[in-house]
Amino acid sequence: LGHTEHQSSLARINVPGDKLVESLAIGRFHSIILTREGSIFGCGNNTAGQLGLGHTEHQTLFQPVPRLPYGEIPVRVTCAMSSVTVLQTRAGSVYACGHDFRRQLDLGEGREDWATFQRIPFFDSNYHLTPAVFYGST
């Protein structure tokens, strides 16, 4: 919306480029938009890099998120806890960004926060998520 004040009434959200919204995920203090074309936009608190923008600056307007590696196209998005975002791609890969201080994202040792989407290796083997896993954001 372009400000940090409490909003007590509905307001139109303009997606950059007038793209059609496929889905929207709402975290405690951040939001992620996935468009039909597979573009991702993030807005809100970004303390742990949960917007996937490559930095940790808060955003008051939706900002485009860099494309995933290998040309992968996201098809599902969810926000978990107050500072994690998870994507599933058309190919079945799972990517996450944000707070990983207890290694709950399985992204490796040495870092607590990931400001860009990282592939979660656990899902690269024989495990595949079903759509039900991505319903109901917190």
Side-chain angles (χ1 to χ4, degrees), residues 59-81:
Q59 301 298 311
T60 59
L61 296 171
F62 280 95
Q63 301 297 317
V65 174
R67 293 258 178 219
L68 295 176
Y70 314 110
E72 292 207 61
I73 307 293
V75 294
R76 292 186 182 86
V77 61
T78 191
C79 297
M81 302 176 289

Side-chain angles (χ1 to χ4, degrees), residues 70-111:
Y70 314 110
E72 292 207 61
I73 307 293
V75 294
R76 292 186 182 86
V77 61
T78 191
C79 297
M81 302 176 289
S82 61
S83 57
V84 172
T85 302
V86 181
L87 301 172
Q88 183 181 17
T89 69
R90 189 173 288 152
S93 299
V94 176
Y95 288 80
C97 64
H99 202 50
D100 189 30
F101 79 103
R102 296 189 189 214
R103 307 297 174 249
Q104 69 271 22
L105 300 178
D106 190 29
L107 294 176
E109 296 292 327
R111 292 181 70 169

Side-chain angles (χ1 to χ4, degrees), residues 4-80:
T4 58
E5 304 301 317
H6 292 283
Q7 183 75 31
S8 61
S9 60
L10 294 176
R12 180 180 174 88
I13 296 173
N14 294 315
V15 179
D18 291 327
K19 298 184 181 223
L20 296 175
V21 174
E22 179 69 24
S23 65
L24 174 68
I26 308 295
R28 186 170 182 193
F29 300 112
H30 72 291
S31 302
I32 302 289
I33 289 175
L34 174 63
T35 68
R36 287 193 182 162
E37 299 85 11
S39 297
I40 311 161
F41 296 88
C43 180
N45 184 302
N46 196 30
T47 303
Q50 63 265 40
L51 298 180
L53 298 172
H55 59 75
T56 57
E57 297 172 23
H58 302 319
Q59 301 298 311
T60 59
L61 296 171
F62 280 95
Q63 301 297 317
V65 174
R67 293 258 178 219
L68 295 176
Y70 314 110
E72 292 207 61
I73 307 293
V75 294
R76 292 186 182 86
V77 61
T78 191
C79 297

